[in-house]
Amino acid sequence: MATAAAGALGLLWGWLWSERFWMPQNVSWADFEGPGDGYGYPQARHILSVFPLAAGVFSVRLLFERFIAKPCALHVGIQDSGPYPSQQPNAILEKVFISITKYPDEKRLEGLSKQLDWDVRKIQCWFRHRRNQDKPPTLTKFCESMWRFTFYLCIFCYGVRFLWSSPWFWDTRQCWHSYPRQPLTSGLYYYYVMELAFYWSLMFSQFTDIKRKDFLIMFVHHLATIGLITFSYINNMVRVGTLVMCLHDASDFLLEAAKLANYAKYQRLCDTLFVIFSAVFMVTRLGIYPFWILNTTLFESWEMIGPYPSWWLFNGLLLILQVLHVIWSYLIARIAFKALIRGKVTYPGRIRPRLCTLHSFLTSFLFSMPGGSWTVSSLACV
C-alpha cells in the first residue's frame, strides 16, 4: 500500500512539474539553471521567500493601523465606539439566528412570539441588536481600508515607475521576445514578490479579522489571485504579469479612497471618488485589458511562440477574469440606473433626489466590491 501511494505521489509530482505542460517545445527546466542577468531566472523555490515577507507585511499592517490609521480616523471624527453591547441571551433565538435566518419573516416572528411569550417588536429588536454585534465598528473598517489604500497606491506608483522604463510597456511584443529565456531584474522581482506577499498577508488576516459575510468569497478571491501570480511567475510570464497587476491596481486604491470618504461621512468627496473609480474601472477593465492585455497574450504570443498546454490554461484564466470584469461593470451600471430611477419616482418633488439616491447607492455599493458583501442595503436616501 505504501509503495503504491508513493508511486501515485511520484506520478502526480511528475505531472505537476512536467516540462511538456509548463514549457514551449525544446525548452526544459535545465534552461533556467543558468545565472542569466540580474536575479537570474524565476525559480519555484523563490516562492518560499514570500511567506516570511507576508508575515512581515502583516506585522507592518498591525502597526500601521494602530499608530497611523487609527489617529487619522479619530481626527476625522470617527469614534472608537468599541464592540456593540451584548444582547440578552436567549438559546432559542440564538439557534434561529445561527442555523436558520438572521432576518426572520413575519410568520416566523409570530411563531417565536408564541413560543417565548415575547412581543414581536421585542423579538425584532433582539435580532437587530444581534446582527449589529456581528458588524465590525466603523473605526475598524476605516483602518482596514486605509491600509489597503496605502498599499495599493504605493504599489501602483511603483508599478508605473518600473514599467515606464520597461520596453514591454511600450511594445507588448517584447513580452514574448526570447521567451521563456527572459532573466529577472531586481525591480521586476521585488514587484512580483511584494504583490504576492500582500495577498498572502490578506489570507492570513482573514482568520484574525472580524468575520464577515463574504469570508468564503474573499478567501476564494485571494486564493485565485495568489494562484495567478504564482503561476505566471513559475512560467516566467512575469512581463505580461506586471502589466496585468498594474492595470488592476489602477482602480483598487480609488475604491478604498471612496470607502474612507464614506466612513468619514464626506458625502461629496465620496461621490466624486466613486465617479472617478467607476470611470477608471470601466476604461481599464473593459477597454485597456481586452484590447491591450488579451491582445498580446492571445494573438501576439500565438504568433511569436505558439500555444502549449500551460499557455491555454493561462489565457483561459485571463478570459475568465474578463468575464468577471463584464459582470462587475454590468452590476455597477444596473444598480446605478435603478438608484437614479427610484430617485425620480420616490422623490419627485425634492430638489436633490438623484444626488441623495446616488449617495445611498454609493454607500451600498462600496461594500459590494472585494472586502464587502454582494448586497445592496438601500437605494433611497432617508
Side-chain angles (χ1 to χ4, degrees):
M1 180 66 71
T3 304
L9 288 174
L11 290 174
L12 178 62
W13 186 259
W15 173 83
L16 182 63
W17 295 108
S18 171
E19 294 172 348
R20 294 182 59 187
F21 174 78
W22 287 99
M23 299 296 171
Q25 291 183 356
N26 303 320
V27 179
S28 67
W29 293 116
D31 295 327
F32 293 90
E33 295 298 329
D37 299 324
Y39 275 55
Y41 296 106
Q43 303 286 339
R45 62 175 178 270
H46 293 170
I47 302 299
L48 298 177
S49 64
V50 168
F51 296 104
L53 184 59
V57 171
F58 181 65
S59 300
V60 171
R61 172 198 165 178
L62 296 178
L63 295 174
F64 178 90
E65 289 184 356
R66 180 173 181 179
F67 296 106
I68 298 179
K70 185 175 181 179
C72 289
L74 297 175
H75 179 73
V76 298
I78 299 176
Q79 300 299 320
D80 188 3
S81 58
Y84 289 93
S86 59
Q87 182 64 5
Q88 176 183 351
N90 187 287
I92 296 176
L93 296 181
E94 185 69 22
K95 183 178 180 180
V96 173
F97 183 87
I98 297 297
S99 306
I100 302 177
T101 178
K102 298 179 181 179
Y103 298 88
D105 55 21
E106 184 176 349
K107 183 178 179 180
R108 190 176 298 279
L109 287 171
E110 292 176 356
L112 290 171
S113 177
K114 294 177 181 179
Q115 184 178 359
L116 298 173
D117 195 23
W118 282 19
D119 184 72
V120 170
R121 182 176 293 274
K122 182 178 180 181
I123 297 176
Q124 289 176 327
C125 184
W126 189 96
F127 274 93
R128 183 170 62 253
H129 282 283
R130 182 63 181 83
R131 288 192 298 268
N132 287 337
Q133 291 179 27
D134 289 346
K135 293 181 180 179
T138 302
L139 179 65
T140 301
K141 293 186 288 187
F142 183 94
C143 293
E144 290 180 3
S145 286
M146 189 170 180
W147 162 247
R148 290 192 178 98
F149 165 77
T150 303
F151 179 86
Y152 286 140
L153 179 61
C154 291
I155 201 68
F156 173 69
C157 292
Y158 176 85
V160 170
R161 181 178 179 274
F162 168 74
L163 288 172
W164 195 264
S165 59
S166 301
W168 59 88
F169 181 74
W170 306 101
D171 179 12
T172 53
R173 296 177 67 88
Q174 291 293 323
C175 292
W176 316 108
H177 181 70
S178 300
Y179 177 84
R181 299 178 181 88
Q182 298 171 340
L184 285 171
T185 63
S186 59
L188 198 157
Y189 174 78
Y190 291 138
Y191 189 18
Y192 247 77
V193 167
M194 282 305 301
E195 285 272 12
L196 193 54
F198 174 73
Y199 281 103
W200 271 114
S201 72
L202 292 182
M203 287 281 285
F204 299 155
S205 65
Q206 273 201 297
F207 296 95
T208 58
D209 292 342
I210 298 174
K211 291 294 179 66
R212 296 182 177 177
K213 292 184 293 184
D214 64 341
F215 175 86
L216 182 60
I217 295 175
M218 292 312 302
F219 181 83
V220 174
H221 172 270
H222 297 330
L223 195 62
T225 303
I226 289 170
L228 273 170
I229 296 176
T230 303
F231 173 83
S232 61
Y233 185 85
I234 294 175
N235 206 28
N236 201 18
M237 289 184 174
V238 289
R239 291 187 176 183
V240 71
T242 57
L243 300 179
V244 175
M245 291 190 299
C246 188
L247 189 70
H248 284 75
D249 290 337
S251 59
D252 288 343
F253 75 90
L254 292 170
L255 175 62
E256 298 301 330
K259 287 183 180 180
L260 293 174
N262 178 65
Y263 297 142
K265 301 187 184 303
Y266 293 159
Q267 176 180 337
R268 185 170 298 179
L269 178 60
C270 175
D271 295 344
T272 302
L273 288 171
F274 183 81
V275 170
I276 297 173
F277 158 75
S278 300
V280 173
F281 186 93
M282 298 285 188
V283 170
T284 55
R285 309 296 175 92
L286 300 184
I288 298 176
Y289 181 83
F291 294 105
W292 191 44
I293 301 295
L294 292 182
N295 176 67
T296 188
T297 61
L298 286 171
F299 303 110
E300 292 178 350
S301 64
W302 181 292
E303 176 186 344
M304 298 184 68
I305 63 175
Y308 52 97
S310 64
W311 181 94
W312 291 102
L313 176 61
F314 182 69
N315 279 286
L317 294 173
L318 292 178
L319 287 171
I320 292 174
L321 188 59
Q322 177 59 25
V323 172
L324 294 176
H325 292 163
V326 174
I327 294 173
W328 290 333
S329 300
Y330 168 73
L331 290 173
I332 295 173
R334 189 185 69 172
I335 300 174
F337 178 75
K338 286 185 177 181
L340 294 175
I341 293 299
R342 290 199 179 190
K344 293 178 184 178
V345 174
T346 308
Y347 303 96
R350 296 180 63 173
I351 298 177
R352 297 167 56 202
R354 294 189 181 187
L355 180 59
C356 202
T357 306
L358 177 62
H359 178 64
S360 284
F361 155 68
L362 297 181
T363 304
S364 302
F365 180 78
L366 291 178
F367 297 98
S368 71
M369 298 300 288
S373 61
W374 287 95
T375 59
V376 179
S377 60
S378 173
L379 290 176
C381 189
V382 294

